[in-house]
């Protein structure tokens, strides 16, 4: 069974640009979660999508947005990139809800120059 | 406020010795507790979870964790550490019906030969 896959592995942008990160969940998983892992800030919850709808978002500005497609894959879009957006962005998926663990991809490292 | 704490930034252990990585939580209600491990340049790997039932939970790679409700703790343990266990360990909690994983700040485990 293939795990959660994320692309690209690395992404280099400059300030003010826009970035798109992609995630394919484990087959059969309908929920997708996005997290930011920035140096010194730990893992921060960004967004949760389930059945194509945004269910919850963390304490991030509106320039962080995303969507979930009918095949349950997901995109994270970051507009007007700032230096502090440099981080590892992790996607996770989960089957159903409740007490099932989230399974993570290896992340996209976004570097802002 | 609901939170999870990992009081140690780093834990150093000699190979073959038992290891403990500490985690405490603050919550109103019954939490779902998880441990994840992160190797360099990788995403998070699920180790084990506590939902309900036996306070001692066994997980992957010989790890186990003990849930202690009175002390609101969920410490990760292993009887005999391996050099290959060296990694970053995260405790996480999902509070009932929120679906948002809240992570501790992580503990770096260093196992010396």
């Amino acid at each position: 069974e293939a795990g959660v896959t994320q692309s690209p592995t690395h992404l280099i942008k400059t300030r003010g640009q826009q970035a798109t990160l992609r995630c394919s969940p484990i087959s059969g998983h309908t929920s997708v979660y996005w997290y930011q892992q920035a140096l010194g800030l730990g893992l921060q919850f960004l967004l949760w999508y389930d059945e194509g709808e945004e269910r919850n978002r963390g304490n991030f500005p509106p320039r962080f947005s995303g969507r979930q497609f009918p095949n349950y894959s997901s995109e994270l879009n970051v507009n007007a990139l700032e230096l502090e957006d440099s981080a590892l962005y992790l996607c996770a998926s989960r089957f159903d809800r409740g007490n099932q663990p989230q399974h993570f991809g290896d992340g996209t490292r976004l570097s802002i120059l | 406020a609901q939170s999870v704490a990992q009081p140690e930034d780093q834990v150093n252990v000699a190979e073959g010795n038992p290891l403990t990585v500490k985690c405490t939580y603050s919550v109103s209600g019954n939490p779902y507790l998880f441990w994840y491990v992160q190797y360099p340049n990788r995403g998070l790997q699920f180790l084990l979870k506590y939902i309900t039932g036996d306070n001692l939970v066994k997980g992957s790679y010989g790890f186990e964790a003990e849930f202690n409700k009175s002390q609101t703790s969920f410490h990760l343990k292993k009887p005999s550490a391996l050099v290959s266990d060296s990694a970053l360990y995260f405790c996480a909690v999902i509070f009932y019906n929120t679906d948002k994983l809240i992570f501790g700040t992580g503990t770096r485990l260093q196992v010396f030969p």
Side-chain angles (χ1 to χ4, degrees), chain B residues 65-80:
Chain B
E66 186 170 11
F67 174 68
N68 187 316
K69 189 172 184 177
S70 63
Q71 297 184 4
T72 62
S73 67
F74 189 55
H75 301 331
L76 181 70
K77 300 181 179 184
K78 187 173 183 180
S80 179

Side-chain angles (χ1 to χ4, degrees), chain A residues 45-108:
Chain A
F45 168 76
L46 258 168
L47 289 159
W48 167 34
Y49 291 96
D50 182 54
E51 297 287 356
E53 299 287 331
E54 181 180 305
R55 302 295 185 183
N56 201 351
R57 67 179 291 129
N59 188 25
F60 282 84
R63 58 191 185 83
F64 287 84
S65 65
R67 54 181 171 167
Q68 186 179 32
F69 299 98
N71 66 354
Y72 302 113
S73 67
S74 177
E75 272 184 3
L76 173 68
N77 296 293
V78 188
N79 294 320
L81 287 165
E82 300 178 3
L83 292 176
E84 55 263 34
D85 296 334
S86 294
L88 181 67
Y89 289 83
L90 293 168
C91 173
S93 72
R94 182 162 76 171
F95 172 73
D96 203 358
R97 297 174 61 182
N99 59 36
Q100 297 302 311
Q102 296 179 18
H103 296 272
F104 286 77
D106 284 339
T108 292

Side-chain angles (χ1 to χ4, degrees), chain B residues 3-111:
Chain B
S3 63
V4 59
Q6 293 180 245
E8 303 155 316
D9 289 337
Q10 180 152 334
V11 170
N12 299 316
V13 178
E15 187 174 32
N17 282 0
L19 69 87
T20 298
V21 182
K22 296 179 180 177
C23 172
T24 60
Y25 65 91
S26 172
V27 63
S28 55
N30 296 318
Y32 297 155
L33 294 155
F34 302 83
W35 275 101
Y36 286 85
V37 60
Q38 186 177 32
Y39 295 98
N41 300 313
R42 301 297 303 276
L44 276 65
Q45 293 181 33
F46 168 71
L47 281 178
L48 51 80
K49 66 179 180 181
Y50 173 82
I51 304 302
T52 187
D54 287 342
N55 290 339
L56 186 63
V57 179
K58 294 189 182 296
S60 305
Y61 312 120
F63 284 94
E64 58 189 27
E66 186 170 11
F67 174 68
N68 187 316
K69 189 172 184 177
S70 63
Q71 297 184 4
T72 62
S73 67
F74 189 55
H75 301 331
L76 181 70
K77 300 181 179 184
K78 187 173 183 180
S80 179
L82 300 172
V83 172
S84 57
D85 293 329
S86 299
L88 189 56
Y89 289 80
F90 289 96
C91 180
V93 76
I94 284 183
F95 298 100
Y96 177 73
N97 215 29
T98 68
D99 263 61
K100 184 169 69 173
L101 260 179
I102 298 176
F103 286 92
T105 50
T107 298
R108 187 164 300 281
L109 174 67
Q110 191 71 48
V111 182

